[in-house]
C-alpha cells in the first residue's frame, strides 16, 4: 500500500512513517521540514503527492495551546484550511481512507459525576477560585466537588482554545469528506503523547518535556496547582501502532472517532515523580501556580480502540519516561 503521511518529519510523524514502512508499505512524506515547498495549503503539491496513494495519514498541524487571540487566524489557516485541502486532494485522487490526528483537547474538561446529580458538565474554573487554591471542579447544580470519570467518544465536544477548535472542525470536515466520497475517515483522539524527541511546545504532553528539561539542568520539576490533575499519558510507540492499525483495519464508511490513550490514569505529580526517580534528581516542587483555561481532569476510555482496531497500549509510564531523558 502507498500511504501519504503529512507531517511525516514531526514528533509523531517520524514514528508513524517508520511503523508504516516497517509493515511493508510505501510512505510518501509531505512535510515542510524536509521540503520547504510542501505547504499543507498547497492543493497542487498535495494533488501530486496523493497520486497512486491508497490512504492518507494527516498529522500536519500548527500545534500549541492557541490561548491568544493574536494567532487564531494562523491556527485556522494551517489546521482548518490545511485539513480541507488534504481532504480535497484525497477525494480528487480517489483515496478511500483518511486517518486524521485529532486530540483529547476536543473534550475540554473530561467526564464528571456528582453523587447527587449524576453525570454533569462543569463550567470552566474561575481565576478567583484558582487563586484561592480551589483547583477541583464543582457541580453546577449543588456546588459539590465532582468525581472524575473516564471520557468516552460520545461525550459532548467542548473545545476551549483555538487549537482545540481546529481539531473539532477537522473531525467535522473529515466526516463531510467521508459522506460525500463514501470513504473511511478515522479520527484518532490522541491523549497525552510522550516519547523520544518530545518538543516543548506540544499540546499533548508539554509538561513532561518541561520537567525533563529542568531535571537535565539539575533543577527540580515545578508542578502547577496541587499536582493532582489527572491525565492519560500514552507512549509514542503505542500511538504509532494505533495509527498503523487505523490504516489497515477494515472499517465501515463514515467517520470513526477513537480515543488513543494508555488506559491508565496518572497525575501530573506522578509524571514529575517518575522522571525525578529515573535520574535521581531533586524532589518535585508543587508551586500552586495555575494557568487559566487549563482543564483539571481528562482521562480516556480507550476500550473502543481495543475493540475496533485490536490495539492496546503496552508501555508503562515509568518505563516510557526514560525516553524523555
Amino acid at each position: 500500500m502507498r500511504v501519504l503521511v503529512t507531517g511525516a518529519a514531526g514528533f509523531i510523524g517520524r514514528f508513524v512513517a517508520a511503523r508504516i514502512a516497517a509493515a511493508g508499505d510505501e510512505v510518501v512524506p509531505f512535510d515542510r521540514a524536509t521540503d520547504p515547498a510542501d505547504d499543507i495549503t498547497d492543493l497542487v503539491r498535495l494533488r501530486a503527492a496523493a497520486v497512486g496513494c491508497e490512504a492518507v495519514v494527516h498529522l500536519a498541524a500548527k500545534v500549541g495551546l492557541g490561548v491568544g487571540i493574536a494567532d487564531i487566524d494562523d491556527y485556522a489557516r494551517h489546521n482548518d484550511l490545511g485539513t480541507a485541502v488534504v481532504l480535497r486532494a484525497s477525494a480528487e485522487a480517489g483515496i478511500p481512507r483518511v486517518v486524521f490526528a485529532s486530540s483529547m483537547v476536543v473534550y475540554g474538561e473530561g467526564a464528571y459525576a456528582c453523587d447527587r446529580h449524576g453525570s454533569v458538565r462543569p463550567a470552566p474554573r474561575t481565576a478567583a477560585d484558582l487563586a484561592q487554591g480551589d483547583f477541583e471542579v464543582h457541580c453546577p447544580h449543588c456546588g459539590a466537588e465532582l468525581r472524575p470519570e473516564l471520557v468516552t467518544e460520545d461525550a459532548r465536544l467542548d473545545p476551549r482554545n483555538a487549537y482545540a477548535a481546529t481539531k473539532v472542525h477537522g473531525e467535522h470536515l473529515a466526516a463531510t469528506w467521508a459522506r460525500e466520497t463514501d470513504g473511511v475517515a478515522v479520527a484518532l483522539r490522541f491523549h497525552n503523547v510522550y516519547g523520544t524527541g518530545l518538543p516543548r511546545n506540544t499540546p499533548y504532553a508539554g509538561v513532561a518535556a518541561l520537567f525533563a528539561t529542568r531535571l537535565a539542568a539539575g533543577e527540580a520539576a515545578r508542578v502547577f496547582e496541587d499536582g493532582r490533575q489527572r491525565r492519560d499519558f500514552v507512549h509514542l510507540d503505542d500511538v504509532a501502532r494505533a495509527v498503523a492499525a487505523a490504516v489497515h483495519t477494515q472499517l465501515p464508511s463514515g467517520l470513526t472517532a477513537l480515543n488513543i490513550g494508555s488506559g491508565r490514569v496518572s497525575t501530573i505529580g506522578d509524571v514529575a515523580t517518575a522522571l525525578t526517580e529515573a535520574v535521581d534528581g531533586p524532589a518535585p516542587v508543587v508551586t500552586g501556580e495555575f494557568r487559566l483555561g487549563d482543564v483539571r481532569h481528562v482521562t480516556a476510555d480507550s476500550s473502543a480502540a481495543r475493540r475496533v482496531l485490536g490495539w492496546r497500549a503496552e508501555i508503562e509510564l515509568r518505563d516510557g519516561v526514560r525516553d524523555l531523558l
Side-chain angles (χ1 to χ4, degrees):
M1 180 184 290
R2 186 176 168 91
V3 183
L4 173 62
V5 179
T6 72
F11 165 57
I12 296 176
R14 291 180 295 113
F15 279 75
V16 166
R19 172 67 63 172
I20 292 173
D25 296 319
E26 179 186 356
V27 173
V28 179
F30 193 92
D31 196 306
R32 285 193 302 182
T34 52
D35 188 336
D38 282 346
D39 190 307
I40 200 63
T41 63
D42 189 328
L43 179 60
V44 173
R45 287 190 65 83
L46 276 165
R47 276 178 178 150
V51 171
C53 292
E54 298 171 72
V56 174
V57 175
H58 180 36
L59 302 171
K62 177 180 173 64
V63 298
L65 293 174
V67 295
I69 200 68
D71 59 359
I72 191 171
D73 54 333
D74 205 35
Y75 275 94
R77 188 177 77 84
H78 284 92
N79 297 359
D80 292 337
L81 178 58
T83 298
V85 172
V86 168
L87 293 170
R88 177 177 172 181
S90 300
E92 293 179 357
I95 295 173
R97 179 176 302 229
V98 172
V99 179
F100 173 63
S102 188
S103 169
M104 57 90 173
V105 297
V106 299
Y107 296 118
E109 284 284 357
Y112 292 91
C114 173
D115 290 337
R116 182 178 174 187
H117 295 98
S119 296
V120 296
R121 292 290 300 179
R125 298 178 295 168
T126 68
D129 286 343
L130 293 169
Q132 294 175 7
D134 183 5
F135 300 123
E136 292 295 347
V137 291
H138 298 273
C139 178
H141 307 296
C142 66
E145 187 174 304
L146 295 175
R147 182 175 66 254
E149 298 183 333
L150 299 182
V151 64
T152 57
E153 290 86 355
D154 59 357
R156 181 171 66 87
L157 304 186
D158 184 18
R160 297 192 175 184
N161 55 57
Y163 172 76
T166 64
K167 287 301 179 182
V168 172
H169 192 213
E171 290 194 19
H172 291 168
L173 290 172
T176 299
W177 170 87
R179 283 194 300 271
E180 296 188 4
T181 66
D182 198 31
V184 173
V186 189
L188 299 181
R189 294 173 180 169
F190 300 147
H191 281 250
N192 294 70
V193 184
Y194 71 98
T196 303
L198 175 65
R200 289 183 58 173
N201 68 336
T202 175
Y204 305 119
V207 66
L210 290 170
F211 290 164
T213 298
R214 290 188 63 86
L215 287 165
E219 301 173 348
R222 293 177 59 83
V223 181
F224 277 21
E225 299 187 19
D226 57 4
R228 298 193 184 99
Q229 307 94 304
R230 292 158 55 103
R231 297 291 188 272
D232 185 331
F233 287 84
V234 58
H235 194 274
L236 183 57
D237 285 347
D238 287 328
V239 169
R241 288 193 304 104
V243 174
V247 168
H248 287 285
T249 301
Q250 185 173 352
L251 295 168
S253 60
L255 177 71
T256 300
L258 298 170
N259 284 330
I260 302 298
S262 69
R264 294 176 288 273
V265 175
S266 302
T267 67
I268 299 299
D270 290 337
V271 176
T273 298
L275 283 163
T276 298
E277 291 177 350
V279 297
D280 195 23
V285 176
V286 178
T287 68
E289 297 173 80
F290 63 88
R291 294 187 306 182
L292 191 64
D294 279 357
V295 298
R296 178 63 173 173
H297 304 298
V298 54
T299 51
D301 180 341
S302 296
S303 59
R306 293 193 291 272
R307 184 173 62 255
V308 172
L309 301 180
W311 167 92
R312 69 171 58 241
E314 297 176 348
I315 299 175
E316 296 279 352
L317 178 64
R318 290 189 175 274
D319 297 324
V321 293
R322 297 182 182 278
D323 290 343
L324 295 175
L325 303 168

